[in-house]
Amino acid sequence: MRRKYPFSFSDIAKEAGVSTATVSRVLNGQSNVKADLIEKVYNILEARGLNPNEYIVQAPSSGRLLLFVLPFEFNSFFNEIIKGAKASALQHGYTMMILQEQLGSNTFSSFEQLIRHTKISGVICLNHLNAQLMHTLSSIVPVVQCCDYDLNSKTVSSVSFDDFKMASTAVNHLISHGRRKIAFISGSLKYRDNFVRQEGYLKTLQAAGIKPTQRWIINLPEINYNMAFSSSTQLLSQTYRPDAFLTISDLYACAVINAARQLKLRVPDDLMVIGYDNVDYAAISSPPITTINTPKYQLGYTAAELLIDRIQNPDSAAQHIKLQSELIIRESTTPKGGV
């Protein structure tokens, strides 16, 4: 039997400046709606003297909802983390909602309203939040950080990879093959994992007596193939060019390999390339990509375990867990004749 509402979806949509379908998704408690759109619908209902919570169809596990919030669009890396987090949530009787949202001072208010209105029990956060916003968020709901972690936090637990060690391992692998002109492509350094990987790259070069070339260090604002392709094409077009790349994403590594191919450079003979994360297309690239295999599923699973433990034991101490990774050697760094 369909539920009756004392208002028209189309009227609410018109006032809020959204589609009727969006109003329907909001009132049916679906998670694939941006926080600012949810806030618009809530505000229209409240302006009419109505309590939004009375008209939202709550999930069967209302009160046992976890929110997984990530800054970028879904990709192979995030999907594996989400699978792990969902598996843990299911085992403990929780439902997990997924939100793709760039959190910051401009979006935090609507995000906070979303948490309060949907009665979220805890948040797994892959976004970068400054100290003030993270303090505010953790005072509202238990939080676990992934990737953009704060190892000194006494209130927010975190799960991360051994980023410094693996960046160093990758650089040493390239150096062992005689490569000394090593470029580095990373995402934004506001994310701690990117910053730590860059530190591992720089310090390993310095320990080997190699002076880093500043113009070969590229920090892109997001994981974007076209940006990486353009940047690597520019570097490889120079007379004095890198003979190897360490990238913090397999997508970046694919972009470097394709840029090299366009410029008639051979991988790995002219240019060696290492990626990061070991997502599915790293193995089917041409050539297959040497990459750092990060335990993505385990990251999500562990984050959910920490979050549920904090929900069930509010006075428990924050924990900071670092997961081990490994270098998977493939043809993008394997010269003809052997490793």
Side-chain angles (χ1 to χ4, degrees):
M1 182 176 179
R2 295 185 64 180
R3 182 177 181 181
K4 293 184 178 180
Y5 295 88
F7 51 81
S8 163
F9 277 28
S10 59
D11 288 344
I12 298 297
K14 185 176 181 180
E15 286 188 53
V18 301
S19 68
T20 303
T22 295
V23 174
S24 176
R25 288 197 295 270
V26 170
L27 296 180
N28 280 284
Q30 296 183 25
S31 61
N32 59 337
V33 185
K34 289 187 176 181
D36 61 325
L37 300 184
I38 295 173
E39 183 180 18
K40 288 181 179 180
V41 174
Y42 286 164
N43 289 342
I44 295 302
L45 292 176
E46 290 171 349
R48 292 186 173 208
L50 302 171
N51 180 357
N53 290 328
E54 295 179 4
Y55 300 101
I56 296 175
V57 178
Q58 298 290 351
S61 58
S62 180
R64 294 179 67 82
L65 292 172
L66 306 180
L67 180 62
F68 188 108
V69 57
L70 63 158
F72 306 121
E73 295 179 358
F74 294 89
N75 56 40
S76 298
F77 174 73
F78 289 137
N79 287 343
E80 284 300 306
I81 299 175
I82 291 169
K83 284 180 185 178
K86 280 187 171 182
S88 170
L90 182 62
Q91 289 178 6
H92 292 279
Y94 284 82
T95 297
M96 179 161 288
M97 299 169 58
I98 313 299
L99 176 67
Q100 187 269 310
E101 182 74 63
Q102 280 280 4
L103 296 182
S105 56
N106 295 331
T107 59
F108 190 81
S109 176
S110 58
F111 178 64
E112 181 180 347
Q113 287 195 41
L114 171 66
I115 291 173
R116 295 186 187 279
H117 281 299
T118 53
K119 300 177 182 177
I120 297 296
S121 301
V123 173
I124 296 175
C125 183
L126 274 74
N127 271 260
H128 168 76
L129 289 177
N130 62 40
Q132 181 179 354
L133 290 180
M134 181 55 74
H135 175 76
T136 301
L137 178 60
S138 62
S139 69
I140 300 169
V141 66
V143 182
V144 170
Q145 286 180 289
C146 293
C147 300
D148 185 48
Y149 47 90
D150 178 4
L151 298 178
N152 296 316
S153 176
K154 299 185 183 304
T155 58
V156 177
S157 294
S158 69
V159 188
S160 60
F161 301 129
D162 50 345
D163 294 304
F164 185 97
K165 175 183 175 182
M166 292 315 301
S168 178
T169 297
V171 172
N172 278 325
H173 176 70
L174 294 170
I175 293 173
S176 73
H177 285 293
R179 305 303 163 110
R180 299 181 65 84
K181 299 186 292 182
I182 304 170
F184 180 76
I185 301 184
S186 170
S188 171
L189 295 187
K190 73 179 182 180
Y191 292 98
R192 181 174 172 81
D193 56 350
N194 290 336
F195 177 82
V196 172
R197 291 167 189 175
Q198 182 164 308
E199 285 295 291
Y201 158 81
L202 291 171
K203 291 187 181 300
T204 305
L205 287 182
Q206 291 165 356
I210 302 171
K211 183 178 180 180
T213 301
Q214 193 61 41
R215 68 176 182 277
W216 291 351
I217 301 173
I218 301 171
N219 302 120
L220 300 176
E222 59 186 85
I223 304 299
N224 182 286
Y225 173 87
N226 290 328
M227 290 182 184
F229 181 84
S230 176
S231 298
S232 53
T233 298
Q234 183 178 9
L235 287 189
L236 293 172
S237 298
Q238 298 172 2
T239 303
Y240 185 72
R241 58 173 176 77
D243 59 13
F245 272 80
L246 169 60
T247 74
I248 60 86
S249 164
D250 291 327
L251 187 66
Y252 286 169
C254 284
V256 172
I257 289 172
N258 288 336
R261 181 178 293 114
Q262 179 173 282
L263 295 169
K264 310 301 182 184
L265 298 174
R266 298 166 300 165
V267 177
D269 298 329
D270 300 319
L271 183 75
M272 289 189 175
V273 182
I274 296 181
Y276 215 106
D277 291 328
N278 194 29
V279 298
D280 47 10
Y281 50 78
I284 61 176
S285 170
S286 180
I289 299 169
T290 293
T291 184
I292 295 166
N293 181 39
T294 54
K296 300 168 284 296
Y297 183 95
Q298 187 181 355
L299 180 80
Y301 188 92
T302 304
E305 289 288 304
L306 289 179
L307 182 61
I308 293 167
D309 178 69
R310 175 57 70 91
I311 293 169
Q312 297 176 349
N313 303 284
D315 296 328
S316 61
Q319 301 181 58
H320 301 286
I321 297 177
K322 186 175 292 187
L323 303 177
Q324 298 301 305
S325 305
E326 62 178 332
L327 183 66
I328 305 295
I329 299 174
R330 298 195 180 105
E331 291 176 24
S332 69
T333 64
T334 305
K336 294 179 180 178
V339 177

